[in-house]
Amino acid sequence: MTYVIGVDSGGTHIVGQALTLAGEILAQTQSGPGNIFLDQPQTISNLTTVVTTLLQKLGRDDCQYILMGIAGVETTGNGAQVAADFTAKWQLPTYVISDAQLALLNGLEGHDGTLVIAGTGSVVYGRQNQQMWRYGGWGQLLGDTGSAYQIVAEAMKMLLKDYDLGRDSELAAILLPAFSATDPKQAVKHYYQLSRKEIAAVAVKIAQAAAAGNQAATNALVTQANALADEVLGLISRYQQPIPEKIAFSGSVLVHNSFYRETLLKKLQNVHSKLEPIVVSTNNGRGAIFWSRWHQVNA
């Protein structure tokens, strides 16, 4: 059976999938980190392991091509060389794009449109007429609007405002235990000792409290969803008319929290009523099956 290989090479791990062009996963494997800017030798080694494992399992003769989306490749600027090296190594057409482009390709199934990613961090991507744009994604200090991290930061600011005004906060029962604190001052101390990922994990507790009727927690979610919507609208403003109507949602915050996703979408559709939402729940390696919609591949 003929197949293609899609590789999603991200900062924490690499996932490789062998798929039929109909999208059936024939095999999957993964390896360690895959940000080529942070550690090129290790990334190349891990990519080699992932692809070699799939080729050994399914046979090289039936593989049509390999598509890799590699974190950091836009910064290093060596995607063409990496693709050429791997093409020579396996004697198979190998294409290299960024992990963001692969996410866009998968989320929109090769069509033009917008991709909104909100997990620990956030970023917005768009594509129209073979041109790609990005909005946000500048890390927790300068961006990551609407991300799990910023939802927690928003809730903490609300808690501290209540504390400064000498009033009780609905958020105290959520945030003080989450940060192993007995009062807001201790919560701040512990907050600054935690990693970005550890802080972002508290967003689940805020979402649970909102679902249970905690109005302050709900307000934190709405504030960040609307802020993220503003960034999406900023990216959409760069499109030519008529704008692409497909919009894909990816990342844990948008995939798993329907209230948050619907709040975001409502603000977007107030401006662009014909936007068509897509929730992305597949690994981005699946994007390989849509590659021909971006570029002609002789398969």
Side-chain angles (χ1 to χ4, degrees):
M1 179 180 294
T2 59
Y3 67 95
V4 299
I5 291 177
V7 183
D8 185 8
S9 182
T12 57
H13 65 284
I14 298 171
V15 176
Q17 294 182 326
L19 310 105
T20 67
L21 289 177
E24 178 187 357
I25 299 173
L26 302 177
Q28 177 171 308
T29 188
Q30 65 181 56
S31 186
N35 187 311
I36 199 167
F37 174 70
L38 297 180
D39 191 337
Q40 178 163 324
Q42 188 62 60
T43 296
I44 295 298
S45 175
N46 290 343
L47 287 168
T48 301
T49 297
V50 164
V51 174
T52 299
T53 298
L54 293 173
L55 291 175
Q56 288 177 342
K57 184 168 186 177
L58 296 173
R60 192 184 68 180
D61 291 345
D62 290 329
C63 182
Q64 295 178 299
Y65 59 87
I66 301 163
L67 177 63
M68 298 179 172
I70 306 177
V73 76
E74 288 180 318
T75 304
T76 57
N78 62 343
Q81 185 60 56
V82 172
D85 291 344
F86 279 139
T87 294
K89 180 179 181 64
W90 291 305
Q91 293 297 296
L92 286 167
T94 302
Y95 307 90
V96 172
I97 57 178
S98 72
D99 60 333
Q101 289 174 305
L102 185 67
L104 189 64
L105 181 64
N106 178 50
L108 297 169
E109 298 188 344
H111 299 290
D112 282 355
T114 308
L115 171 70
V116 189
I117 303 174
T120 300
S122 75
V123 66
V124 185
Y125 292 102
R127 188 174 189 272
Q128 184 185 39
N129 300 329
Q130 298 190 342
Q131 186 171 358
M132 187 168 172
W133 294 275
R134 162 182 165 159
Y135 197 118
W138 303 117
Q140 75 270 25
L141 297 181
L142 299 174
D144 282 352
T145 303
S147 66
Y149 181 94
Q150 292 298 354
I151 289 170
V152 180
E154 183 73 34
M156 280 292 290
K157 290 173 186 176
M158 293 169 63
L159 170 68
L160 295 174
K161 182 177 181 179
D162 287 336
Y163 180 72
D164 288 340
L165 291 171
R167 64 194 185 197
D168 293 335
S169 174
E170 285 186 276
L171 293 165
I174 309 164
L175 297 176
L176 297 187
F179 291 107
S180 303
T182 56
D183 59 58
K185 289 193 292 185
Q186 190 177 49
V188 170
K189 178 182 178 181
H190 293 169
Y191 182 100
Y192 283 120
Q193 293 172 343
L194 296 176
S195 69
R196 171 175 173 261
K197 187 175 181 179
E198 289 171 325
I199 292 170
V202 178
V204 173
K205 298 182 184 299
I206 296 170
Q208 290 170 342
N214 186 305
Q215 189 58 51
T218 300
N219 291 344
L221 293 178
V222 170
T223 297
Q224 283 299 308
N226 286 335
L228 181 55
D230 286 337
E231 296 202 346
V232 178
L233 291 172
L235 184 138
I236 290 175
S237 72
R238 303 194 66 181
Y239 292 142
Q240 296 177 357
Q241 293 293 335
I243 69 166
E245 294 176 350
K246 294 182 182 295
I247 183 164
F249 297 127
S250 181
S252 57
V253 174
L254 286 168
V255 171
H256 300 304
N257 191 322
S258 59
F259 170 77
Y260 190 87
R261 186 174 65 246
E262 289 162 7
T263 300
L264 172 68
L265 182 61
K266 181 179 179 180
K267 182 166 183 177
L268 296 177
Q269 289 182 329
N270 283 340
V271 181
H272 300 288
S273 60
K274 294 182 179 180
L275 288 177
E276 302 172 9
I278 303 164
V279 179
V280 183
S281 58
T282 56
N283 181 270
N284 288 326
R286 171 177 169 267
I289 69 175
F290 307 112
W291 182 236
S292 62
R293 292 181 181 171
W294 276 14
H295 300 280
Q296 291 301 314
V297 175
N298 296 322

